[in-house]
Amino acid sequence: MKFKKLDITGFKSFSEKTTFLIEDGLTGIVGPNGCGKSNIVESLRWCMGENSAKSMRGSGMEDVIFSGTSNKPSKNIAEVLVSLSNDNKDSPLQYNELDEIEIRRKIEKDKGSKFYINGKEVRAKDAQMFFADLST
């Protein structure tokens, strides 16, 4: 399995939907201090099931939601979607027939977060085990 794409909306410094394509070979994140490089990596970890607010550099999990700036209002929802290519058919058994798998995590203020695999709501443990089974 290979990471293909990362969609980030309302997560930390990403107020608008931002898409990162992960092409074959080496993909790097380059930019000046304070531009959000670590937020990209954190969004990936969060979507893969990270539950520690402290390791996400926050005091609570809702701190991952875009908090606003002088130019942009705060958001009530943060969402991260990871698209995976399953061309080699080496995913967990229940997804092996699929060519592409999407893992999505969404959090709303005062409602907590939810995980989805290919649009179907799953438990946090299911999403975490999906990636654990891949040894990522």
Side-chain angles (χ1 to χ4, degrees):
M1 294 197 68
K2 294 181 183 178
F3 290 97
K4 286 179 59 176
K5 182 174 70 168
L6 179 64
D7 288 329
I8 306 171
T9 309
F11 184 90
K12 291 202 169 196
S13 59
F14 296 94
S15 66
E16 304 301 321
K17 182 177 181 181
T18 306
T19 300
F20 295 94
L21 298 177
I22 304 169
E23 304 289 339
D24 287 339
L26 185 64
T27 299
I29 303 169
V30 180
N33 291 343
C35 72
K37 297 181 301 287
S38 59
N39 292 344
I40 298 168
V41 175
E42 285 182 1
S43 71
L44 183 59
R45 285 184 32 233
W46 183 72
C47 189
M48 292 172 70
E50 178 62 63
N51 284 323
S52 168
K54 186 176 181 181
S55 70
M56 301 298 293
R57 298 179 298 150
S59 59
M61 198 48 75
E62 288 187 1
D63 289 346
V64 302
I65 300 172
F66 180 73
S67 60
T69 66
S70 59
N71 300 333
K72 294 184 180 185
S74 64
K75 301 282 185 175
N76 292 322
I77 297 173
E79 186 173 348
V80 176
L81 180 135
V82 176
S83 295
L84 303 159
S85 169
N86 190 29
D87 294 339
N88 296 338
K89 305 297 184 204
D90 54 359
S91 68
L93 288 176
Q94 66 266 39
Y95 305 104
N96 230 6
E97 73 282 355
L98 303 171
D99 292 329
E100 188 172 307
I101 301 167
E102 292 185 340
I103 313 294
R104 180 169 55 107
R105 186 173 183 182
K106 179 180 179 180
I107 186 169
E108 290 186 63
K109 285 187 179 175
D110 302 323
K111 292 187 179 179
S113 66
K114 295 181 180 181
F115 287 86
Y116 302 86
I117 298 179
N118 287 346
K120 180 183 174 201
E121 188 174 339
V122 296
R123 301 174 304 170
K125 184 176 181 176
D126 296 330
Q128 292 164 341
M129 289 307 296
F130 178 90
F131 289 106
D133 288 347
L134 297 176
S135 300
T136 51

